[in-house]
Every structure is written in C-alpha cells, then in structure tokens.
Amino acid sequence: MLREARPANPAPAGCAWTALASLEEAKHHALVLDNITRAMRRRDGTMIRPQAQPSATTDPSGHASDGSAAEVAGLDILQQVIDAEQAMVQVVGLDYRFLAINEASAKEFERVYGLRPRRGDSMLELLAHMPAQQAEVRAIWSRALAGESFVEIGEFGDPARERRSYEMKYFPLRDADGQRAGAFQFVYDTTDNVRRIREPPAPGRLDRAGGPVSAGLDDGQYRELFARIREGFFIGEVIRDDQGQVVDFVFLEVNEAFTRQTGRRPRTVLGRRVSQAIPGFPASVVQRYGAVVDSGAPSAFEVQVSALGHRVYEARAHPLEGERFVVLFLDVTGYKHTEQALEESRASLRAIVDSVDQIIWTASPDGYHDFFNQRWYEYTGAVPGTTDGDDWAELFHPDDRERTFARWRHSLATGEPYEIEYRLRHHTGVYRWVLGRAHPVRNETGQILRWMGTCTDIHEQKATAEQLELAGRELSHRIKNIFAVVSGLVALTVRQFPESRAFADELLARLLALGEAHDYASPHGPDAGPVEKEVTVLGLTRRLLRPYALAGCDRIELVGDDIVLGPRALTPLSLAIHELATNAAKYGAFAVPDGKVQIRGERLADRFALHWREQGGPAVQEPERTGFGSRLVDLTLRDQLAGELTRTWHPEGLEVRVSVPIDRLTGDRA
C-alpha cells in the first residue's frame, strides 16, 4: 500500500492502538520472510521472477504463464506461504510487478481501486489511469525496493470509490548473495480505530497526571487491555524550547507493566519530565519522539538506556493529538544477552570447526548437504556454495559414485550410520582415498533432525596397507619357494641314497603339510585367490595339525561343536593354531611321541570357544617372558576378531582357551 501526507486534522490516534500487537510479531514476520525467500530462491541462489501478464483490466480471465514448471512450482509454494497469513500480504519485484499477492490483499486492492491484481501484474500499469494514486504507490514502494525496512500508516485508495486507513510493514527481499530482489509488505486495516478516535470523544476519563483530564479515549475499553499486556505503555507530551525544538517530555499515563519494564513506580514519573524522573535518559530518544509528533509518522527502534541499568528496549512510538504521543516498549535485555551469547558461541564453534584438520559437513534429514567447513573448500578447491545439495558428488571418482550414493540412500532410508571409503578429487586434481562417515542427530522422540558427517583422508594409510599386502605376498611366495627347494633337495638325496626312501617320503609329506598350513596362515588380501568353501574351525585345525601326526600314534583328538568360518577369520585363527602347534612341537606334547593334544569346540550363546589341552609331554611351567609369536597371536585375535586367549600352565601340559564372537568368525562369508 501507500503512505499519505499527514492530514490537516489531528494525527490519527488509532495508530497507537494498532501498536498493541505484541512486539514478538516482528519475529513472526521474520519467519514468514524466510519462508518466502526459500520458496522463491532457485538452487543457484537467484530469485524466481514471473513474466509480465495481460492487464487485469483488459483480460480478467487470463491465466498466468510464469516461466518453467520449476519456477511455477516455486511461485505456487510462495503463494501457499502468504495465503496462510491472516494479514494482507504482497510480494513485489524490483520492476513493481507482483511476485505474489494473497487473497485478502487482492480483495482489498479491488475494494479501494476497482482492479483485482494477479501475480505478474505491474502495480504501476494497473494505476496508470490514476496518476495521483500511482505516484503514492511509487513513492512508498521505491523505499522498500531500495532495501529499507519500515512501518507506515496512512489513507489510500481511489477517492471516487473509498479511501481507508492502513498500517503497513515493509521488508526487503534478497537473494543468496544478499542482492536486492524485491520487497514484501504486511498490511493491517486500521480504518475503524482511526474513525472512532477522530470523532468527538465519548465521555470517558483516564487517571492522568494533574487530575482527571479528558483523553479522548474510552477508559473502560482500554484500561483493562493496558493492564494485561506485558509491554510497557505510556502516553507523553513533548516540551519545546524557545526555538520550538523538542527537548523533553512529560509522562501523562503509564500502565502496570511500565514498572516491571523500567523499575520506576508510577508515582515517581507521572506528571514529571523524563529528565527528572529518569536522569540521563537518551536525548536521541527524546528527539525521536519529537519527530513522531511533528511528522505524524510512527517510529520503531531499539535503544539501550544506561540510566535504567543499561537495559535494552524495543520500542514503537505513534502520534496522538497535539503534542502527545504513545509508546509501547519491551525489555529485551535478556533476549539480547542470549542472542549475543549464542552468536559468540556460533562464532566460536565455527572457528573450531574451520580450524580442525578434518572435513566436516551437515545434511538435512532428506540428505540435502547444506554446510561444509572451510577445510572442505581448501581440500577440494571448490567454490563455496557450488557443492550444496547433491552437487558434491561431482567431486567423487566416477567409479565410486554409484556405490557411495547407494550407501548414502540406505542410511537415509534406515537411519543407520553412514560409513564408506571412496576417492575424492583433491584441489591438485588427484583423486585421494577418504573415509566418509555420518551419524544422525535425533530429538527426544527419535526423529532425525540432521546428519553430521566427516571426511577423513586415508590415502597414505591405503597406500601403506597395499605395500604391506604386497610385501606379505612376496614373503609368502619366498617361503613357498623354500619349501619347494627343500623338497627338491630331499628328492635328490633319495636318488643318491635309495635306502632312505621311507624316511624321505615321510619328510616330504610333512613339508607338504607345512606348506598347506602356511597357505592358510598367510594374510588373505583383496587380490588373494578364492578360499575353500565351508571351511570350519575343526576342519581348519585338522589340516593345520597334519604335519604333527605320527603313524601308529593317536596324538590328535578333535571333538565338540564346529562352525563355518568367514574369509576374514581364516588368517588370525590359522596364526593362532599354527603358533600353538609349533610351540607344542618345541616344548610341549608334540615334542615326544607319546604326547597328545585334545582340541574341543564349544558353541555358546554369542561366542565360540576353542579349547586346546596338551597331555603326555614334558613338564611345563609358565615362562618368565612372552615370546614374539605369542604376543603376535594375542594381538591378532584381539584386534581382528575381538577375541580373547587365556593360558593355564598345568604341570602335565598347557591348556589354552580361545574365545571369539560368532559374528566375527562367520562375518563376510562369500
């Protein structure tokens, strides 16, 4: 709507009563503005703008054609946002065209101008046949479109139809880069209030300074309302110097909340100048009240009053008759302190998040990536804002995108933590391995509010692991070559000494069995050949102990429960059994022909235990120190299988218990 020049008769006192809406209304407007901005903003940050429409005066039945389907959808969302508002709302672009206008505002526009605007119409073109009204529109909207936020009160409309009084609030509309994209307006009809107060006052009094003085207001109608509101309220009258400048004001009326908001009781302020009642009251605020009286225009502002304990107030002043004005104010000191503390906390958190040598990101519950810390941009070389949403996947290695997205979609659908390794393009152009992780942040009902994620560079670790795998395979190859060389030497010796063939055949069988055990005990890397299907714990143990069997001696007994092994469990379990067997051959039951070893499997609720019991060997006792092989087995079982190994040193033989979670033994089965 428009601002009218101040009328010749007294400024509309009804403007004061429109200010009785809570100051928290401004927070509601901010929320609506945020929703409007979201609805109109494209993914690239620019704003949706409708195309020009046929004039509503020439084609009342025409339909809008606002560009692409996506933009139409965005404008439709915007329309739904403002249609939900009870106030009259208009959203206007820099070219004075309606980006959106809700039903209440469209009806009111038609009521006072005789024309019903639609999305895409130019308000200047609609009022081209009303030069005076068009000038009013241009004058007030030009301020809003220039980026100013303000409140205006005045009468508007076609004099030949009807002019009405309105209170209007204007807010700028900006794109993602902070550039002006338009403005929006909230409008409230104050016609009835203004008419009632401009008319000769009905009999009624308010208790004011200096005795009963007619206020022109209905005491019964407003006193109860003043008592109930939480905002402080007072009516003042300006005092001028000899040059006509406003230098002070007198308190004429205050409400009960005035004391709560200022700490000053009514008897200490009523009938007194503010300079006396509140020494040190800001002169700039006094001058602002004088401007309200002189211009007839309301003023909304925020001020810190040192004389009142440095409290911070939000205030709205409106003109009354003559030299009087009315003020609604609210102590927002606590809110400001909280806001400042929150802002400092945010700044501190942002500094921490940006200073760590770790990529940190967040996403909304639907998976839309909306934040990356500074480390992300330093690492990838991406321009801020270009990787929001799903665009960050453009930095993934093409071979990793599909599986990475599949894992992310699974986490979004199930709420399970996200973890995957993939290659990410470094700012040097090289793809480096990273570990991506994310966990959901839930509220007290379990609903996911956000996803918090990290990316950790593991390129060096991957390279080291590959080198270790290569070295392991090389070592395994050389050991197998040694077995082959020794077997060849044995065979050659048999040809020279045929009488030793029986001994040689037994030795070759043992070498072959040791080679087989070595194959099982060797690490199974990603490039290793396929392992035998349905390998079980007792089956693996039987094959690993074959080199220690003696003809005619029943020295190995395998009993109890059994379980099928997964590929990842083969290496650590083989190492453990191999170490136990070699120690038994050097110091225990396998060191003598009559020694025996019983291996018993035991399946418990969620764990599998393997019991190793030696008998008939040399007397044993606990060693003073643990050898390298034993330490290696302990670490391997604990780190790779979350297992436990306990040793009990009986004089008749060693007893060992290996316990491993079943899911670790059977996991990753082919």
Side-chain angles (χ1 to χ4, degrees):
M1 287 294 183
L2 321 172
R3 178 176 181 268
E4 180 193 26
R6 187 182 181 192
N9 53 346
C15 300
W17 317 125
T18 62
L20 292 176
S22 168
L23 294 178
E24 290 185 358
E25 179 185 36
K27 298 180 181 65
H28 171 70
H29 292 158
L31 177 61
V32 175
L33 175 58
D34 183 62
N35 289 334
I36 288 175
T37 304
R38 287 174 178 271
M40 295 190 59
R41 188 171 290 164
R42 300 187 182 96
R43 290 181 65 180
D44 62 1
T46 61
M47 306 298 285
I48 297 172
R49 307 178 189 279
Q51 301 171 355
Q53 300 300 309
S55 170
T57 59
T58 60
D59 185 13
S61 63
H63 295 284
S65 176
D66 299 334
S68 71
E71 295 190 349
V72 171
L75 291 171
D76 287 341
I77 293 173
L78 169 61
Q79 190 66 47
Q80 294 175 32
V81 170
I82 66 172
D83 280 343
E85 285 296 305
Q86 295 181 351
M88 294 175 275
V89 184
Q90 299 176 10
V91 186
V92 174
L94 296 177
D95 57 358
Y96 294 86
R97 294 187 180 277
F98 291 105
L99 301 177
I101 180 169
N102 68 354
E103 181 69 11
S105 187
K107 286 182 178 180
E108 190 67 10
F109 195 101
E110 185 177 23
R111 175 181 183 177
V112 297
Y113 291 119
L115 303 169
R116 189 175 183 86
R118 298 172 304 155
R119 190 169 75 199
D121 285 341
S122 166
M123 59 173 63
L124 298 183
E125 293 176 3
L126 290 175
L127 299 177
H129 63 294
M130 304 179 194
Q133 284 67 44
Q134 185 190 60
E136 289 176 331
V137 170
R138 187 189 299 274
I140 197 165
W141 274 101
S142 63
R143 293 173 56 193
L145 296 176
E148 183 180 354
S149 296
F150 58 98
V151 179
E152 287 290 342
I153 298 173
E155 292 184 352
F156 312 98
D158 183 359
R161 296 179 60 85
E162 181 180 11
R163 286 181 70 82
R164 298 183 64 81
S165 297
Y166 303 95
E167 178 179 357
M168 300 158 295
K169 301 176 177 67
Y170 292 86
F171 302 90
L173 186 63
R174 301 183 183 277
D175 61 19
D177 296 325
Q179 300 300 312
R180 291 180 293 108
F184 80 101
Q185 169 205 68
F186 281 89
V187 183
Y188 303 91
D189 192 334
T190 61
T191 304
D192 294 338
N193 289 334
V194 171
R195 286 176 178 171
R196 180 173 61 249
I197 296 173
R198 284 181 176 175
E199 292 170 358
R205 299 174 184 277
L206 286 173
D207 292 330
R208 306 177 71 184
V213 180
S214 173
L217 302 173
D218 184 349
D219 188 3
Q221 181 177 5
Y222 294 112
R223 180 167 293 282
E224 183 178 359
L225 179 59
F226 294 158
R228 289 183 177 180
I229 63 175
R230 68 189 182 108
E231 289 89 350
F233 170 89
F234 72 86
I235 295 176
E237 187 169 43
V238 299
I239 297 175
R240 301 179 185 270
D241 60 14
D242 294 339
Q243 286 74 41
Q245 300 297 315
V246 174
V247 295
D248 212 334
F249 69 87
V250 176
F251 289 102
L252 300 180
E253 173 73 11
V254 299
N255 71 342
E256 294 179 11
F258 183 94
T259 299
R260 294 194 299 271
Q261 296 291 327
T262 65
R264 298 292 199 272
R265 296 185 178 279
R267 66 173 180 271
T268 65
V269 298
L270 286 175
R272 303 184 66 188
R273 296 188 178 195
V274 70
S275 58
Q276 299 170 334
I278 309 177
F281 189 83
S284 60
V285 178
V286 175
Q287 295 167 4
R288 185 183 289 270
Y289 292 155
V292 169
V293 170
D294 291 339
S295 67
S299 178
F301 58 95
E302 184 179 288
V303 62
Q304 184 176 38
V305 183
S306 301
L308 294 177
H310 298 279
R311 296 181 182 179
V312 180
Y313 295 94
E314 288 181 350
R316 298 170 71 183
H318 292 259
L320 290 175
E321 306 96 326
E323 300 285 89
R324 297 169 186 168
F325 60 95
V326 61
V327 177
L328 273 170
F329 63 96
L330 183 66
D331 183 350
V332 294
T333 307
Y335 169 76
K336 286 296 179 182
H337 288 168
T338 302
E339 188 179 60
Q340 181 180 359
L342 182 60
E343 185 58 36
E344 290 174 355
S345 176
R346 287 172 176 167
S348 177
L349 178 61
R350 184 60 184 258
I352 293 172
V353 168
D354 282 341
S355 64
V356 298
D357 190 23
Q358 173 83 15
I359 293 172
I360 299 175
W361 52 269
T362 66
S364 58
D366 62 359
Y368 186 91
H369 292 76
D370 52 12
F371 169 78
F372 296 92
N373 70 340
Q374 187 61 32
R375 176 59 178 154
W376 164 264
Y377 298 109
E378 294 172 353
Y379 187 91
T380 63
V383 177
T386 60
T387 55
D388 292 348
D390 293 335
D391 293 339
W392 74 323
E394 296 299 319
L395 298 175
F396 292 7
H397 192 285
D399 294 343
D400 298 339
R401 289 176 189 170
E402 182 56 38
R403 64 182 182 83
T404 305
F405 259 100
R407 186 66 187 87
W408 179 231
R409 287 192 295 266
H410 174 77
S411 294
L412 293 177
T414 63
E416 296 176 2
Y418 167 77
E419 182 171 333
I420 192 170
E421 295 178 2
Y422 57 89
R423 285 163 290 182
L424 184 66
R425 191 172 69 225
H426 191 253
H427 65 82
T428 58
V430 176
Y431 284 98
R432 295 179 62 87
W433 281 100
V434 299
L435 172 62
R437 287 194 180 107
H439 289 266
V441 178
R442 302 177 185 270
N443 61 14
E444 60 277 4
T445 64
Q447 180 183 5
I448 295 177
L449 303 177
R450 301 199 64 72
W451 286 87
M452 305 290 294
T454 61
C455 296
T456 306
D457 189 312
I458 58 170
H459 197 76
E460 278 70 28
Q461 294 93 313
K462 291 282 285 187
T464 300
E466 290 176 358
Q467 291 173 359
L468 289 175
E469 177 66 25
L470 180 62
R473 291 204 300 270
E474 176 65 19
L475 178 61
S476 177
H477 176 70
R478 291 181 180 274
I479 290 174
K480 291 171 70 175
N481 282 344
I482 291 174
F483 283 136
V485 169
V486 172
S487 297
L489 290 174
V490 171
L492 181 62
T493 302
V494 169
R495 285 197 293 271
Q496 292 178 345
F497 303 97
E499 65 277 9
S500 63
R501 176 168 296 278
F503 169 78
D505 289 344
E506 181 69 19
L507 179 59
L508 286 173
R510 292 180 182 277
L511 288 173
L512 179 62
L514 282 173
E516 215 172 86
H518 168 74
D519 287 340
Y520 272 106
S522 299
H524 289 79
D527 299 327
V531 298
E532 181 180 326
K533 291 186 177 181
E534 300 297 321
V535 177
T536 67
V537 173
L538 296 184
L540 174 65
T541 304
R542 181 178 294 106
R543 298 192 66 171
L544 291 174
L545 296 184
R546 278 199 317 186
Y548 306 97
L550 293 177
C553 297
D554 187 15
R555 61 192 328 214
I556 300 173
E557 181 182 9
L558 293 143
V559 296
D561 301 327
D562 204 356
I563 191 170
V564 177
L565 290 171
R568 291 184 181 274
L570 283 172
T571 295
L573 193 58
S574 296
L575 283 173
I577 296 171
H578 184 69
E579 179 65 19
L580 291 173
T582 55
N583 284 340
K586 289 187 289 185
Y587 317 112
F590 288 159
V592 296
D594 296 333
K596 294 183 179 181
V597 175
Q598 182 191 70
I599 300 95
R600 178 171 58 88
E602 181 183 14
R603 181 164 186 163
L604 305 172
D606 58 351
R607 300 181 74 87
F608 187 88
L610 190 67
H611 301 270
W612 174 285
R613 180 67 184 267
E614 298 183 23
Q615 293 177 326
V620 297
Q621 60 182 3
E622 184 173 358
E624 295 181 358
R625 64 182 184 87
T626 304
F628 172 76
S630 296
R631 293 198 303 272
L632 177 62
V633 168
D634 291 347
L635 289 173
T636 302
L637 287 174
R638 184 188 64 198
D639 295 344
Q640 297 188 29
L641 296 180
E644 300 171 354
L645 187 147
T646 57
R647 297 177 179 86
T648 305
W649 302 89
H650 301 292
E652 65 274 16
L654 174 66
E655 182 178 357
V656 178
R657 182 178 185 271
V658 178
S659 175
V660 178
I662 290 177
D663 60 344
R664 290 298 189 98
L665 284 177
T666 61
D668 296 330
R669 288 179 57 193

PDB file of all heavy atoms in Angstrom, residues 379 394-398 400-401 423-426 428-433 459:
ATOM      1  N   TYR A 379      40.483 -28.356   0.763  1.00  0.00           N
ATOM      2  CA  TYR A 379      40.890 -29.683   0.283  1.00  0.00           C
ATOM      3  C   TYR A 379      40.498 -29.885  -1.176  1.00  0.00           C
ATOM      4  O   TYR A 379      41.293 -30.367  -1.983  1.00  0.00           O
ATOM      5  CB  TYR A 379      40.236 -30.757   1.158  1.00  0.00           C
ATOM      6  CG  TYR A 379      40.709 -32.164   0.876  1.00  0.00           C
ATOM      7  CD1 TYR A 379      41.789 -32.699   1.565  1.00  0.00           C
ATOM      8  CD2 TYR A 379      40.070 -32.973  -0.056  1.00  0.00           C
ATOM      9  CE1 TYR A 379      42.232 -33.998   1.330  1.00  0.00           C
ATOM     10  CE2 TYR A 379      40.498 -34.272  -0.310  1.00  0.00           C
ATOM     11  CZ  TYR A 379      41.580 -34.774   0.382  1.00  0.00           C
ATOM     12  OH  TYR A 379      42.004 -36.037   0.131  1.00  0.00           O
ATOM     13  N   GLU A 394      29.887 -34.604  -7.572  1.00  0.00           N
ATOM     14  CA  GLU A 394      30.675 -34.373  -8.782  1.00  0.00           C
ATOM     15  C   GLU A 394      32.168 -34.488  -8.502  1.00  0.00           C
ATOM     16  O   GLU A 394      32.960 -34.652  -9.423  1.00  0.00           O
ATOM     17  CB  GLU A 394      30.359 -32.974  -9.347  1.00  0.00           C
ATOM     18  CG  GLU A 394      28.922 -32.809  -9.818  1.00  0.00           C
ATOM     19  CD  GLU A 394      28.579 -33.774 -10.942  1.00  0.00           C
ATOM     20  OE1 GLU A 394      29.433 -33.970 -11.840  1.00  0.00           O
ATOM     21  OE2 GLU A 394      27.470 -34.342 -10.920  1.00  0.00           O
ATOM     22  N   LEU A 395      32.549 -34.387  -7.232  1.00  0.00           N
ATOM     23  CA  LEU A 395      33.957 -34.485  -6.876  1.00  0.00           C
ATOM     24  C   LEU A 395      34.386 -35.920  -6.594  1.00  0.00           C
ATOM     25  O   LEU A 395      35.560 -36.175  -6.336  1.00  0.00           O
ATOM     26  CB  LEU A 395      34.248 -33.613  -5.644  1.00  0.00           C
ATOM     27  CG  LEU A 395      33.988 -32.111  -5.820  1.00  0.00           C
ATOM     28  CD1 LEU A 395      34.184 -31.382  -4.505  1.00  0.00           C
ATOM     29  CD2 LEU A 395      34.898 -31.529  -6.887  1.00  0.00           C
ATOM     30  N   PHE A 396      33.437 -36.871  -6.614  1.00  0.00           N
ATOM     31  CA  PHE A 396      33.769 -38.285  -6.386  1.00  0.00           C
ATOM     32  C   PHE A 396      34.380 -38.885  -7.655  1.00  0.00           C
ATOM     33  O   PHE A 396      34.073 -38.460  -8.771  1.00  0.00           O
ATOM     34  CB  PHE A 396      32.528 -39.098  -6.028  1.00  0.00           C
ATOM     35  CG  PHE A 396      31.937 -38.766  -4.690  1.00  0.00           C
ATOM     36  CD1 PHE A 396      32.401 -37.711  -3.933  1.00  0.00           C
ATOM     37  CD2 PHE A 396      30.889 -39.509  -4.186  1.00  0.00           C
ATOM     38  CE1 PHE A 396      31.858 -37.402  -2.704  1.00  0.00           C
ATOM     39  CE2 PHE A 396      30.327 -39.219  -2.958  1.00  0.00           C
ATOM     40  CZ  PHE A 396      30.821 -38.154  -2.212  1.00  0.00           C
ATOM     41  N   HIS A 397      35.202 -39.896  -7.480  1.00  0.00           N
ATOM     42  CA  HIS A 397      35.719 -40.638  -8.621  1.00  0.00           C
ATOM     43  C   HIS A 397      34.527 -41.303  -9.325  1.00  0.00           C
ATOM     44  O   HIS A 397      33.651 -41.869  -8.664  1.00  0.00           O
ATOM     45  CB  HIS A 397      36.708 -41.698  -8.148  1.00  0.00           C
ATOM     46  CG  HIS A 397      37.498 -42.309  -9.264  1.00  0.00           C
ATOM     47  ND1 HIS A 397      36.965 -43.232 -10.144  1.00  0.00           N
ATOM     48  CD2 HIS A 397      38.788 -42.113  -9.655  1.00  0.00           C
ATOM     49  CE1 HIS A 397      37.885 -43.592 -11.014  1.00  0.00           C
ATOM     50  NE2 HIS A 397      39.000 -42.920 -10.739  1.00  0.00           N
ATOM     51  N   PRO A 398      34.459 -41.229 -10.656  1.00  0.00           N
ATOM     52  CA  PRO A 398      33.310 -41.804 -11.372  1.00  0.00           C
ATOM     53  C   PRO A 398      33.032 -43.260 -11.012  1.00  0.00           C
ATOM     54  O   PRO A 398      31.867 -43.678 -10.968  1.00  0.00           O
ATOM     55  CB  PRO A 398      33.712 -41.659 -12.847  1.00  0.00           C
ATOM     56  CG  PRO A 398      34.647 -40.493 -12.863  1.00  0.00           C
ATOM     57  CD  PRO A 398      35.402 -40.548 -11.568  1.00  0.00           C
ATOM     58  N   ASP A 400      33.314 -44.625  -8.170  1.00  0.00           N
ATOM     59  CA  ASP A 400      32.854 -44.773  -6.788  1.00  0.00           C
ATOM     60  C   ASP A 400      31.485 -44.153  -6.544  1.00  0.00           C
ATOM     61  O   ASP A 400      30.907 -44.341  -5.470  1.00  0.00           O
ATOM     62  CB  ASP A 400      33.861 -44.121  -5.824  1.00  0.00           C
ATOM     63  CG  ASP A 400      35.226 -44.774  -5.894  1.00  0.00           C
ATOM     64  OD1 ASP A 400      35.290 -45.935  -6.347  1.00  0.00           O
ATOM     65  OD2 ASP A 400      36.217 -44.144  -5.498  1.00  0.00           O
ATOM     66  N   ARG A 401      30.975 -43.390  -7.506  1.00  0.00           N
ATOM     67  CA  ARG A 401      29.756 -42.615  -7.243  1.00  0.00           C
ATOM     68  C   ARG A 401      28.550 -43.493  -6.945  1.00  0.00           C
ATOM     69  O   ARG A 401      27.809 -43.249  -5.993  1.00  0.00           O
ATOM     70  CB  ARG A 401      29.461 -41.707  -8.439  1.00  0.00           C
ATOM     71  CG  ARG A 401      30.437 -40.563  -8.582  1.00  0.00           C
ATOM     72  CD  ARG A 401      30.182 -39.737  -9.829  1.00  0.00           C
ATOM     73  NE  ARG A 401      31.258 -38.773 -10.047  1.00  0.00           N
ATOM     74  CZ  ARG A 401      31.405 -38.051 -11.145  1.00  0.00           C
ATOM     75  NH1 ARG A 401      30.534 -38.212 -12.148  1.00  0.00           N
ATOM     76  NH2 ARG A 401      32.404 -37.200 -11.253  1.00  0.00           N
ATOM     77  N   ARG A 423      37.057 -42.385  -3.400  1.00  0.00           N
ATOM     78  CA  ARG A 423      38.095 -41.468  -3.858  1.00  0.00           C
ATOM     79  C   ARG A 423      37.485 -40.096  -4.143  1.00  0.00           C
ATOM     80  O   ARG A 423      36.479 -39.985  -4.845  1.00  0.00           O
ATOM     81  CB  ARG A 423      38.763 -42.023  -5.110  1.00  0.00           C
ATOM     82  CG  ARG A 423      39.711 -43.175  -4.831  1.00  0.00           C
ATOM     83  CD  ARG A 423      40.031 -43.976  -6.073  1.00  0.00           C
ATOM     84  NE  ARG A 423      38.866 -44.740  -6.527  1.00  0.00           N
ATOM     85  CZ  ARG A 423      38.859 -45.554  -7.568  1.00  0.00           C
ATOM     86  NH1 ARG A 423      39.965 -45.706  -8.282  1.00  0.00           N
ATOM     87  NH2 ARG A 423      37.773 -46.212  -7.902  1.00  0.00           N
ATOM     88  N   LEU A 424      38.120 -39.071  -3.572  1.00  0.00           N
ATOM     89  CA  LEU A 424      37.639 -37.695  -3.684  1.00  0.00           C
ATOM     90  C   LEU A 424      38.694 -36.860  -4.409  1.00  0.00           C
ATOM     91  O   LEU A 424      39.894 -37.004  -4.140  1.00  0.00           O
ATOM     92  CB  LEU A 424      37.377 -37.130  -2.284  1.00  0.00           C
ATOM     93  CG  LEU A 424      36.784 -35.724  -2.190  1.00  0.00           C
ATOM     94  CD1 LEU A 424      35.371 -35.704  -2.755  1.00  0.00           C
ATOM     95  CD2 LEU A 424      36.767 -35.271  -0.728  1.00  0.00           C
ATOM     96  N   ARG A 425      38.213 -35.986  -5.313  1.00  0.00           N
ATOM     97  CA  ARG A 425      39.159 -35.185  -6.093  1.00  0.00           C
ATOM     98  C   ARG A 425      39.779 -34.086  -5.235  1.00  0.00           C
ATOM     99  O   ARG A 425      39.079 -33.240  -4.678  1.00  0.00           O
ATOM    100  CB  ARG A 425      38.478 -34.574  -7.316  1.00  0.00           C
ATOM    101  CG  ARG A 425      39.483 -33.961  -8.303  1.00  0.00           C
ATOM    102  CD  ARG A 425      38.811 -33.536  -9.590  1.00  0.00           C
ATOM    103  NE  ARG A 425      37.931 -32.404  -9.388  1.00  0.00           N
ATOM    104  CZ  ARG A 425      36.711 -32.302  -9.892  1.00  0.00           C
ATOM    105  NH1 ARG A 425      36.212 -33.287 -10.618  1.00  0.00           N
ATOM    106  NH2 ARG A 425      35.971 -31.237  -9.670  1.00  0.00           N
ATOM    107  N   HIS A 426      41.097 -34.121  -5.131  1.00  0.00           N
ATOM    108  CA  HIS A 426      41.861 -33.132  -4.389  1.00  0.00           C
ATOM    109  C   HIS A 426      41.992 -31.868  -5.238  1.00  0.00           C
ATOM    110  O   HIS A 426      41.776 -31.895  -6.463  1.00  0.00           O
ATOM    111  CB  HIS A 426      43.241 -33.722  -4.050  1.00  0.00           C
ATOM    112  CG  HIS A 426      44.023 -32.923  -3.073  1.00  0.00           C
ATOM    113  ND1 HIS A 426      45.115 -32.169  -3.437  1.00  0.00           N
ATOM    114  CD2 HIS A 426      43.881 -32.756  -1.732  1.00  0.00           C
ATOM    115  CE1 HIS A 426      45.613 -31.581  -2.365  1.00  0.00           C
ATOM    116  NE2 HIS A 426      44.883 -31.922  -1.312  1.00  0.00           N
ATOM    117  N   THR A 428      44.487 -30.531  -6.217  1.00  0.00           N
ATOM    118  CA  THR A 428      45.561 -30.714  -7.198  1.00  0.00           C
ATOM    119  C   THR A 428      45.085 -31.474  -8.434  1.00  0.00           C
ATOM    120  O   THR A 428      45.833 -31.601  -9.403  1.00  0.00           O
ATOM    121  CB  THR A 428      46.715 -31.492  -6.560  1.00  0.00           C
ATOM    122  OG1 THR A 428      46.225 -32.765  -6.096  1.00  0.00           O
ATOM    123  CG2 THR A 428      47.298 -30.718  -5.375  1.00  0.00           C
ATOM    124  N   GLY A 429      43.848 -31.986  -8.387  1.00  0.00           N
ATOM    125  CA  GLY A 429      43.324 -32.767  -9.496  1.00  0.00           C
ATOM    126  C   GLY A 429      43.496 -34.262  -9.318  1.00  0.00           C
ATOM    127  O   GLY A 429      42.982 -35.045 -10.129  1.00  0.00           O
ATOM    128  N   VAL A 430      44.214 -34.672  -8.277  1.00  0.00           N
ATOM    129  CA  VAL A 430      44.449 -36.089  -7.999  1.00  0.00           C
ATOM    130  C   VAL A 430      43.314 -36.620  -7.128  1.00  0.00           C
ATOM    131  O   VAL A 430      42.870 -35.952  -6.198  1.00  0.00           O
ATOM    132  CB  VAL A 430      45.797 -36.288  -7.289  1.00  0.00           C
ATOM    133  CG1 VAL A 430      46.008 -37.753  -6.917  1.00  0.00           C
ATOM    134  CG2 VAL A 430      46.937 -35.783  -8.174  1.00  0.00           C
ATOM    135  N   TYR A 431      42.835 -37.819  -7.434  1.00  0.00           N
ATOM    136  CA  TYR A 431      41.824 -38.453  -6.589  1.00  0.00           C
ATOM    137  C   TYR A 431      42.517 -39.134  -5.412  1.00  0.00           C
ATOM    138  O   TYR A 431      43.442 -39.926  -5.593  1.00  0.00           O
ATOM    139  CB  TYR A 431      41.021 -39.482  -7.381  1.00  0.00           C
ATOM    140  CG  TYR A 431      40.009 -38.867  -8.312  1.00  0.00           C
ATOM    141  CD1 TYR A 431      40.292 -38.692  -9.668  1.00  0.00           C
ATOM    142  CD2 TYR A 431      38.764 -38.444  -7.844  1.00  0.00           C
ATOM    143  CE1 TYR A 431      39.373 -38.117 -10.527  1.00  0.00           C
ATOM    144  CE2 TYR A 431      37.831 -37.877  -8.685  1.00  0.00           C
ATOM    145  CZ  TYR A 431      38.135 -37.713 -10.029  1.00  0.00           C
ATOM    146  OH  TYR A 431      37.214 -37.150 -10.867  1.00  0.00           O
ATOM    147  N   ARG A 432      42.066 -38.818  -4.194  1.00  0.00           N
ATOM    148  CA  ARG A 432      42.645 -39.388  -2.991  1.00  0.00           C
ATOM    149  C   ARG A 432      41.578 -40.155  -2.214  1.00  0.00           C
ATOM    150  O   ARG A 432      40.408 -39.778  -2.210  1.00  0.00           O
ATOM    151  CB  ARG A 432      43.234 -38.286  -2.095  1.00  0.00           C
ATOM    152  CG  ARG A 432      44.418 -37.564  -2.725  1.00  0.00           C
ATOM    153  CD  ARG A 432      44.937 -36.464  -1.813  1.00  0.00           C
ATOM    154  NE  ARG A 432      45.426 -36.965  -0.542  1.00  0.00           N
ATOM    155  CZ  ARG A 432      46.651 -37.396  -0.326  1.00  0.00           C
ATOM    156  NH1 ARG A 432      47.546 -37.427  -1.325  1.00  0.00           N
ATOM    157  NH2 ARG A 432      47.022 -37.824   0.869  1.00  0.00           N
ATOM    158  N   TRP A 433      42.007 -41.215  -1.561  1.00  0.00           N
ATOM    159  CA  TRP A 433      41.085 -42.031  -0.778  1.00  0.00           C
ATOM    160  C   TRP A 433      40.697 -41.304   0.502  1.00  0.00           C
ATOM    161  O   TRP A 433      41.539 -40.753   1.206  1.00  0.00           O
ATOM    162  CB  TRP A 433      41.717 -43.376  -0.421  1.00  0.00           C
ATOM    163  CG  TRP A 433      41.692 -44.366  -1.548  1.00  0.00           C
ATOM    164  CD1 TRP A 433      42.713 -44.675  -2.395  1.00  0.00           C
ATOM    165  CD2 TRP A 433      40.583 -45.179  -1.944  1.00  0.00           C
ATOM    166  NE1 TRP A 433      42.319 -45.620  -3.305  1.00  0.00           N
ATOM    167  CE2 TRP A 433      41.008 -45.959  -3.051  1.00  0.00           C
ATOM    168  CE3 TRP A 433      39.280 -45.331  -1.479  1.00  0.00           C
ATOM    169  CZ2 TRP A 433      40.180 -46.865  -3.692  1.00  0.00           C
ATOM    170  CZ3 TRP A 433      38.441 -46.233  -2.112  1.00  0.00           C
ATOM    171  CH2 TRP A 433      38.887 -46.990  -3.202  1.00  0.00           C
ATOM    172  N   HIS A 459      44.462 -41.673   2.363  1.00  0.00           N
ATOM    173  CA  HIS A 459      45.218 -42.072   1.172  1.00  0.00           C
ATOM    174  C   HIS A 459      46.546 -42.726   1.548  1.00  0.00           C
ATOM    175  O   HIS A 459      46.911 -43.776   0.985  1.00  0.00           O
ATOM    176  CB  HIS A 459      45.470 -40.853   0.285  1.00  0.00           C
ATOM    177  CG  HIS A 459      45.857 -41.203  -1.111  1.00  0.00           C
ATOM    178  ND1 HIS A 459      44.956 -41.652  -2.050  1.00  0.00           N
ATOM    179  CD2 HIS A 459      47.068 -41.186  -1.736  1.00  0.00           C
ATOM    180  CE1 HIS A 459      45.580 -41.891  -3.190  1.00  0.00           C
ATOM    181  NE2 HIS A 459      46.862 -41.611  -3.028  1.00  0.00           N
TER     182      HIS A 459
END
